[in-house]
Amino acid sequence: MLASLIGFLGDFDLAEEAAQEAFAIAAERWPRDGVPANPSTWLVTTARNRAIDRIRRDRTLAAKTRLLHVPDAAEERVDVTTFADERLELVFTCCHPALATDAQVALTLRTLGGLTTGEIARAFLVSEPTMAQRLVRAKRKIKAAGIPFRVPPDHLLPDRLVAVLAVVYLIFNEGYAGRGDLAAEALRLGRALAQLMPDEPEVHGLLALMLLLDARREARFRGGDLVLLADQDRSLWDTTQIADGRAVLERALALLGRGSYVVQAAIASLHVDEPHDWPQIAALYGELSRLTDSPVVELNRAIAVAEAEGPEAGLGIVDRLDLNDYRYLHSTRGELLRRLGRTDEARDAYRRALALVHDDAEQRLLERRLAELGTATGPAGR
C-alpha cells in the first residue's frame, strides 16, 4: 500500500501520513459498517483521497498541483496485482546512488519492510536517534533531488545492486528472527530481482542463501523457544526448498560468482550436510571476511574454527574483535568459555549478552544457558 502511494504522490512523508489516516478511518468504520469487499482497494483509495484533500487545503505545495488534475480516486479501481512491481520500484527509488548506502538500506527497511526505527538501528548497531536522523535526511534528499519512482534502465541496474541486495537481505534477516511476513517479502523480492537481472551471480547468490536459510525456519523455534542449528529436528526442514536453493546456487557458480552472497550461500549449503565439514566452512568464512572486512563475519569464522580446531582457537579470534555492544559476541564467548570449563567467565559473558538482547526467544535461550551453568562444575559439566 505504501509503495503504491509513494509512486502516486512522489512524497514519502505525505504517503506515510495518508496511509496512517486511512488505517485510522478503517479502524473506526469497519467494526461498525463491516469490512469492504476489497480491503486493499478501499485503503489505497481512501489514502489517495486524503492526500489529495490535504494538497487542496495546502496551496503552498505548488509543486504538487498536478495531482489536482488526477480523476477522483474514489471512482478508480486500484489493481492490487500491480503492488509487486511497485514494491520493486520503491526499492530502487530508495537505493538511488544520490543517497549514502546506509541511508538507502535504512529507508527501504522503514518504508517497504515496515520495520520501526529502533529495529533498524539495532540492525545497523547504532542508536535510535542517529537512525531517525538518517531517515529524515534520506527522505529530504529524495524530495529535493526529484529522484524518480521507477526501476532504472538496464545500464544503470548494476550501480544500484549492492544497496538493493543489502536491503533485501536485511529484510530477510528480520523475518528470519521470527517475522515470517518479512521473510516471505524478501524471498519475493529476491525472485523478482533474479528475473530482472538473470545474469548477475550475486542476485542468484542472495536468493540461494535466503532459500537455504528459510528452509530451516519451521525447526528454528519450538514452543516459542529458539532452537540452535545443532539441535534442530531435520525432519522439519523443507527439503524441496533446500534443493531449490542449491539449484540457484549452482546457477550463481555457473555465472562465475565469487561475491559475498555466493560465498554465504555456499556456507549455508554446507550447513545442510551432516556431518558438517567445519574446516571447509571455516575456510569459506575466511574468504568472506576478506571480501567484507566485517567483524561480524570474523565472529562466525571463530565459531567454525572452534568446531574444527577446538574452543581455545575460536576464543582467540573472538577476543580480538571490537564488538562490545554486539550480543552475539558475548553469547559466543560464553559458549566457548563454557566448553573450556571457565564457568565464572562464561556466566559473565552470558549476562552481558542478556543485557543486550531484545528478542524474547533469544532471552529465554540465554537464560537457559545461565541456568545450566548454575549446575556445571568445570569441563565435566559440558
Side-chain angles (χ1 to χ4, degrees), residues 90-353:
L90 177 57
V91 171
F92 280 99
T93 300
C94 293
C95 295
H96 193 277
L99 303 176
T101 301
D102 284 357
Q104 295 171 2
V105 175
L107 185 58
T108 310
L109 288 171
R110 182 71 187 94
T111 55
L112 182 70
L115 274 64
T116 66
T117 304
E119 288 171 329
I120 302 169
R122 288 195 292 275
F124 278 86
L125 306 180
V126 299
S127 70
E128 188 169 342
T130 297
M131 182 51 64
Q133 290 174 357
R134 288 185 190 177
L135 291 168
V136 169
R137 286 197 298 266
K139 290 178 183 178
R140 286 175 179 167
K141 192 156 191 176
I142 286 177
K143 186 175 180 180
I147 292 172
F149 182 86
R150 61 180 173 85
V151 174
D154 290 349
H155 70 282
L156 294 178
L157 284 174
D159 292 338
R160 308 278 187 93
L161 191 58
V162 172
V164 169
L165 295 182
V167 164
V168 174
Y169 191 35
L170 278 172
I171 292 174
F172 176 81
N173 279 335
E174 286 295 327
Y176 193 60
R179 295 180 59 176
D181 57 332
L182 288 180
E185 176 67 10
L187 282 166
R188 190 201 62 74
L189 285 170
R191 290 188 177 98
L193 286 169
Q195 292 178 347
L196 186 66
M197 308 176 75
D199 297 325
E200 287 287 348
E202 279 289 81
V203 172
H204 295 287
L206 175 58
L207 179 57
L209 173 62
M210 294 190 296
L211 286 168
L212 289 163
L213 293 178
D214 189 66
R216 307 199 302 258
R217 177 164 39 89
E218 294 300 323
R220 292 190 71 241
F221 295 92
R222 185 184 300 130
D225 289 333
L226 186 63
V227 181
L228 299 179
L229 177 61
D231 302 321
Q232 289 176 9
D233 180 354
R234 287 172 166 258
S235 68
L236 297 175
W237 290 3
D238 188 333
T239 55
T240 300
Q241 190 162 308
I242 289 171
D244 290 344
R246 284 178 157 171
V248 176
L249 174 59
E250 288 297 322
R251 170 65 176 162
L253 293 172
L255 291 167
L256 304 181
R258 298 293 184 270
S260 63
Y261 292 110
V262 175
V263 175
Q264 289 179 80
I267 293 170
S269 182
L270 286 172
H271 274 305
V272 173
D273 295 331
E274 188 63 42
H276 283 48
D277 187 344
W278 287 112
Q280 178 66 9
I281 292 172
L284 285 171
Y285 270 122
E287 173 62 12
L288 187 61
S289 182
R290 185 190 68 79
L291 289 169
T292 63
D293 194 28
S294 166
V296 174
V297 172
E298 273 293 281
L299 178 61
N300 283 281
R301 185 174 77 86
I303 296 169
V305 167
E307 296 292 341
E309 303 175 21
E312 187 106 34
L315 187 62
I317 298 171
V318 170
D319 284 343
R320 294 195 297 268
L321 299 177
D322 184 17
L323 287 170
N324 192 51
D325 293 328
Y326 190 54
R327 63 188 184 276
Y328 295 125
L329 177 126
H330 299 286
S331 60
T332 299
R333 192 167 182 275
E335 173 62 17
L336 297 179
L337 289 166
R338 183 190 69 81
R339 294 185 193 180
L340 290 168
R342 294 159 61 176
T343 306
D344 289 341
E345 293 174 85
R347 283 196 195 98
D348 290 341
Y350 278 128
R351 287 180 183 130
R352 175 61 177 151

